[in-house]
Structure formats: C-alpha cells, structure tokens
Amino acid sequence: ITIFNPTHLGGLFSTFDADAVDRIDFITGAFPAEYGGRLSSVLDVGMRNGRSDRLGVRGQVSLISSKLLVEGPIPKTPATFLVAGRRTYADALISALSNETMPYYFADVVSKVSMPVGTGVLSATGYWGQDVISWPWIDPEPGRPGVDLEADWGNRLIGLTWRQSFGERELRVDASYTGFQTAFGLEPGILNAKNEVSLYSARAIGALSPGATHDIRTGGGVEDYGMTYFVGSETFGAEFFTAEYAPRIWSAFLDDQWRAFPWLSLRPGVRLEYVEGPGTLNWAPRVGVKSFVTEDFALIGSVGRYHQAIHSLRDQNVSWNIFDFWIGADSAT
C-alpha cells in the first residue's frame, strides 16, 4: 500500500512503530518488475502478525513521547490482531511546566488482523498518522494582528490481502485505499496551500517455480489516483494556483529469478503500464545480474527503463523536507 509521506518531520521519526514491523526491504535502484511507478528506489515495509498464543502488551514512556502495542488472538476465532499507537507530547509537557511553547507534535496508529481461510490467509491492515505544526510566527502588536504558521499533514490507509498456496504456486490478491493530505497556511488568511491525494488500487500476483532454477512472478493491477492542489490567499482574495489530476494506471509485469549457475544469478523482467489521461503506454524492460566471486563477495549490476506518473513538488537542492506536495501526470507531463 503506497504511503506518500513515509516519515514524521522529514525523517526524524519513522512512520511505523518498529515493534510492529516484520521486515524492511530497501532497494536502492534497478528494482524488480513487480514494483512500478517509481524511478529511484523502493522501501518495502511488511507488518508482522499479532501473536497467536496469548495476549501481549508492550509500552514505552519517555520525556517526549509514549507508545503502546497490544496483540494477541481474537477470542473464539483463529484470527490474530495487532494494534500499535504513538504520540509525542512535548508540546503539552512544555506548556504545562513553563511559559514556552512547543509548536509540533505527531500521532499515529497502525493495526493488522489476520485470519486463516481454508488453506489461505486473509489479512486487513490500517494506518492513520498526523503531524501538526502550530507556531506563533509574528507576535501581535497594537493595530496589527499576529501571524501564525499552521501546518498539518498525514496519511490514512486501509488494505485487504488474500494469499492462497497451491503447492509450489501462490496467488495473492489485494485491494487498498490510501490518502494523503497536506495543509499549510500563514494565518489569518494570508497564504494557504492545500494538497489532497487519494489512491484506490487492486492487483493480483501469481508466483510459481517451474524448475529448480527459476522463480517466476507475474501479475497485474490498476491504480486510480485523485489529486487536487490549491494555493491562494483569503486576505487578498486571490487564487495563485489550482490544479486537479486523475491519472489511472493499468499495469502488468513478468519477473524471473534465474539461478543460471551456482556463481551467477540473473533477474530479467518486463513491465507494461498504460496511463489514462496522457494516454501513454510505457514499456519497461530490465535485468539484474549477481555474480559471486567468492561465497562472501559478489558483483551486482543492472540496467532497465523506469517510469513514474506522479511526482512531488519540492526543491531538489534542499536535502531535508518535512512533507511533499504531490501532483499527477497529464497531457503535458
């Protein structure tokens, strides 16, 4: 499930509670054909299932934040659950103990329910996160109101996944909704910027091993985006910029992990994407090579074509950014 702003406060805090994470795959480039819609890298985070033997509770309290994780079996069912929540409260603590203010806090909740269905597994995942900045930027003076910097941004998502094994084969079907909203303003009404993004997606992926040296994955899906972007000023009665984007992307891929020799692995693949709106068909072949010089030393190389139908509005010369504004492809991009 896509997460448009995957960190809190520009990367100072992780989006997810580490206790709820099962695995993290960071692919810095030349990622397999299964992954699309990105140019540079992929961060694939998998949530773990809740424990099935008994109820478990884990918490942590510090001077700036606290978190709580609850997991266990759901009574009278074979299902398990996991819920983890966090919140920083340095803003409330500083205000209570002094005359100073802390203009920032974040909160998030992530959850997962998994249940065996026949010989398969059905799971549901949800996430909610919000960052808030409320900063008295310019103090009021006689005859002139103050100026406050107000900003909030956050992700919401929910997804369903069904996995079914057929011996050496596996079928996975998933559907999800994810949304991201950013609002930035100099109040009262001097400048306002707002960006809303929604994505509905569905896909099916099959995995099979036709031989001892091949692991093949193939599948396809659809991503339906809705994006709005607005910049204006209520004080000056002006709209500086407004835009709407609604790209829909149909995709199919084929990926093969081929162990050609004990010392050589190849990963050829191809991805097809049709983007409604601009009406473009993208053909994206790629291949990766891994050659073992010794058991502990390997040479890795890859080449391929990659396409991205959405992008963020940000200054690439600024290395630290607390959030992004997103727009989609149209007939001109």
Side-chain angles (χ1 to χ4, degrees), residues 166-185:
F166 305 94
E168 297 294 326
R169 302 175 179 87
E170 181 187 75
L171 174 65
R172 187 182 80 193
V173 179
D174 55 47
S176 65
Y177 161 80
T178 180
F180 174 66
Q181 178 175 307
T182 304
F184 174 86

Side-chain angles (χ1 to χ4, degrees), residues 213-233:
T213 60
H214 289 272
D215 292 317
I216 296 176
R217 294 174 66 84
T218 184
V222 59
E223 297 177 317
D224 193 357
Y225 292 87
M227 299 179 171
T228 61
Y229 185 62
F230 167 84
V231 180
S233 172

Side-chain angles (χ1 to χ4, degrees), residues 1-6 16 36-38 43 127 155-158 176-180 197-201 203 223 225 227 310 326:
I1 308 174
T2 298
I3 296 183
F4 290 94
N5 201 73
F16 300 109
R38 301 296 181 269
L43 180 62
Y127 175 82
N155 294 280
R156 294 117 176 84
L157 64 87
I158 186 170
S176 65
Y177 161 80
T178 180
F180 174 66
V197 183
S198 65
L199 168 60
Y200 296 88
S201 63
R203 64 176 180 171
E223 297 177 317
Y225 292 87
M227 299 179 171
I310 62 172
W326 291 89

Side-chain angles (χ1 to χ4, degrees), residues 179-199:
F180 174 66
Q181 178 175 307
T182 304
F184 174 86
L186 296 177
E187 303 294 346
I190 300 174
L191 177 68
N192 298 101
K194 190 173 184 179
N195 181 214
E196 293 184 351
V197 183
S198 65
L199 168 60

Side-chain angles (χ1 to χ4, degrees), residues 6-61:
T7 61
H8 292 293
L9 199 60
L12 295 183
F13 300 94
S14 169
T15 299
F16 300 109
D17 183 348
D19 294 333
V21 173
D22 177 53
R23 60 168 180 82
I24 297 177
D25 296 325
F26 183 44
I27 308 172
T28 57
F31 35 86
E34 177 180 345
Y35 300 99
R38 301 296 181 269
L39 296 180
S40 58
S41 61
V42 171
L43 180 62
D44 189 348
V45 181
M47 274 194 66
R48 67 179 180 86
N49 297 325
R51 60 187 308 158
S52 59
D53 55 344
R54 61 179 175 83
L55 182 68
V57 180
R58 184 182 307 173
Q60 178 178 310
V61 177

